[in-house]
Every structure is written in structure tokens, then in C-alpha cells.
Amino acid sequence: MQYVKEIAALGPRPLGSANHRKVENYIHAHLKGDSVEDDAFTVDTTEGKFPVHNIIAKYPGTRDGIIVIASHYDTNYPLRDTAYIGANDGGSSSALLLEIANQLRGKKRDGYSVWLLWDDAEESMRLPWFDPEALYGVRHLAQKWQDDGTIKKIKAFLLEDMIGDADLHVDRDQNSAPWLEDLIYQSATRLGYQSHFFARTLAMADDHEPFVQRGVPSADLIDFDYGYNNVFWHTTQDTVDKLSPKSLEIVGTVTLETVRMLDKK
């Protein structure tokens, strides 16, 4: 939760802004000493050209294969001139990945390698959601990993998005691999958190799409009901006071339990 507060305190972080660079540096600072790869490139959008930086922290395992856990860290570009700080949308999941890094760091993994991905340029450049004016970071990385053969090694792609809501209800995503969603629910049940998962089913357009399209087993852990009727999403009311450290703990521990179960498959 402290990471969420510190990321949110940096202010709005739309693509190309000074605050965007600050949160990028913030993530790097917390990964100092880890094996970190940067996937940097430039996108040409209707709003101009922008630098994009995907950040990948790699924690090796003993099994041949990779589990990717992802979160985007940019905030909504059309809201760049408002007080929108994206505490939940981008902030909560990016902070959770930093804590997962703490859990993985310095420990020998008896399982697959885990790669943590902070993907960039996820948010749409225009309102409303407008593809292909979004998902630039993951689309570039998915193509790069397809070209170099990495994508064949990915056993699962686990996306975290909007997971800090104090009233936590993670949705079941119809665009995710059913068996992987089932495994997440099994993990939640083993931990006694099943009441926070899958009461509702949605078809989510999110960062996992480019990997789904390439046949990678993927799952989106998202609570897409942020406030009654999703009233806080993409508004200046997406603030830290709407979030709970317990929600972060629930999603984090369920994610790590899912990784543990994947290691045994």
C-alpha cells in the first residue's frame, strides 16, 4: 500500500510527461540489483510521437518455461490536464508487482522463471477506448517475443488491473483461458478468498489481448466495478482513499498461489 501511495503522489503520469518518467525511474529504483530488461521504442499516434518503456524484471527458476505477471503503469492520456492520478487504475497493480518482486528476490525458484512486466502506453490516446490507439507496449512486446521465440516459452500470462478497490470483487474474464481462470479460483478457494472472485463474468479488452491472440494462456485479474456502476473509473475520484491494503494482499497471495500451482503442472 505504501508503494501505491508513493506512485499516486507522483501525480498524473500520462505518456510523454515528466511524471511518467518519474514513475518509470521509481520502478527501476525498487528493482536495483535485479535482472531488469527495458523494451524501449517510439510510437507514432494521432497525438504525436511518444517514447514507450516496458520494464521487465526476471527471476529465474529451475523449470524450462516462463510465467509473466503484468501491470500497466501509465495513466489515461485524455485526462492529462486534470487531477487524475490513477491510484487504482495502474497504481495498485504496479505497486503489487513491486511487492511480488520483494517476495521473489534472492530466493531460488523451484519452478518456472517469473518475469514481472510493467507495460507502458496501455491507456487509450483518445476517449472512449479506441483501438489501435492503446495497448502499444504489450502489442510491441508480444510481437518482439513472438519474433525471438520467447513467446513459446510462456506458460501463463497473468494480468493485474484495478485490484486495489476496498470493495474487492475480481471478475471472471471470458477472454481469458478458462482453465487458467479455474486455477485462479482454486487458488482463491484454498486461501479462503473465493468470495472475492468471479461473482460476475465479463469479456475484458485489456493488456492480455496481444498474448491471447498469439495463443498464450492468459488471465486478467480485474475488478471492473470500481465504485457503484464503476463510477470512479477514469475519473479524478480514483484516489488512494478508495483502496485497501487487504485487497492488495488478497490478489497478491492468490497470484503467488496460482504461480505455485502452475509450477506443479
Side-chain angles (χ1 to χ4, degrees):
M1 190 65 176
Q2 185 60 33
Y3 294 147
V4 179
K5 292 175 181 177
E6 290 171 0
I7 290 171
L10 295 173
R13 49 193 184 280
L15 202 60
S17 67
N19 286 348
H20 182 274
R21 176 54 63 88
K22 287 178 183 177
V23 74
E24 182 187 336
N25 291 338
Y26 176 88
I27 293 168
H28 271 288
H30 284 277
L31 299 173
K32 192 173 182 180
D34 294 351
S35 176
V36 178
E37 175 187 322
D38 286 294
D39 174 43
F41 60 100
T42 300
V43 292
D44 192 358
T45 77
T46 55
E47 298 294 326
K49 293 185 177 181
F50 296 90
V52 179
H53 297 89
N54 294 317
I55 303 168
I56 306 113
K58 301 180 178 181
Y59 303 90
T62 55
R63 293 191 70 182
D64 185 23
I66 302 161
I67 298 170
V68 178
I69 306 174
S71 161
H72 78 91
Y73 67 93
D74 58 316
T75 53
N76 185 282
Y77 185 83
L79 298 176
R80 63 193 178 281
D81 295 324
T82 73
Y84 175 70
I85 59 172
N88 193 29
D89 193 2
S92 63
S93 51
S94 294
L96 179 61
L97 260 63
L98 288 175
E99 179 54 34
I100 290 176
N102 293 341
Q103 301 297 318
L104 298 175
R105 184 175 296 114
K107 298 175 183 176
K108 186 175 181 180
R109 293 219 75 251
D110 185 20
Y112 296 117
S113 295
V114 175
W115 291 6
L116 302 181
L117 165 63
W118 289 263
D119 65 86
D120 196 8
E122 185 265 0
E123 293 284 10
S124 177
M125 302 303 290
R126 292 187 273 177
L127 287 176
W129 179 278
F130 189 93
D131 189 56
E133 292 284 280
L135 304 181
Y136 285 107
V138 281
R139 285 194 281 130
H140 181 271
L141 194 59
Q143 186 61 51
K144 177 182 176 181
W145 284 349
Q146 180 173 298
D147 293 342
D148 69 14
T150 299
I151 209 159
K152 295 177 183 177
K153 301 176 183 177
I154 301 176
K155 302 300 181 181
F157 184 96
L158 302 174
L159 174 63
E160 318 277 8
D161 197 0
M162 296 172 64
I163 45 76
D165 188 354
D167 183 23
L168 182 69
H169 294 283
V170 177
D171 297 304
R172 185 178 180 100
D173 172 37
Q174 288 179 315
N175 290 333
S176 294
W179 72 265
L180 189 50
E181 293 274 292
D182 290 345
L183 196 66
I184 290 168
Y185 191 73
Q186 289 174 33
S187 299
T189 302
R190 287 168 68 105
L191 295 166
Y193 293 139
Q194 67 270 26
S195 63
H196 295 281
F197 285 78
F198 298 173
R200 184 175 69 161
T201 300
L202 298 175
M204 294 304 306
D206 214 344
D207 315 30
H208 63 324
E209 278 190 305
F211 291 90
V212 171
Q213 292 162 2
R214 288 166 173 80
V216 175
S218 304
D220 190 1
L221 288 91
I222 185 169
D223 177 355
F224 200 60
D225 191 18
Y226 185 29
Y228 183 70
N229 282 339
N230 207 21
V231 69
F232 300 144
W233 180 57
H234 281 181
T235 74
T236 56
Q237 295 179 73
D238 182 2
T239 48
V240 173
D241 59 294
K242 312 293 194 312
L243 311 184
S244 165
K246 185 62 179 178
S247 297
L248 296 168
E249 179 188 358
I250 289 169
V251 177
T253 53
V254 168
T255 298
L256 290 173
E257 177 65 12
T258 301
V259 168
R260 191 188 69 80
M261 293 178 74
L262 284 166
D263 285 337
K264 295 182 180 300
K265 286 184 73 69

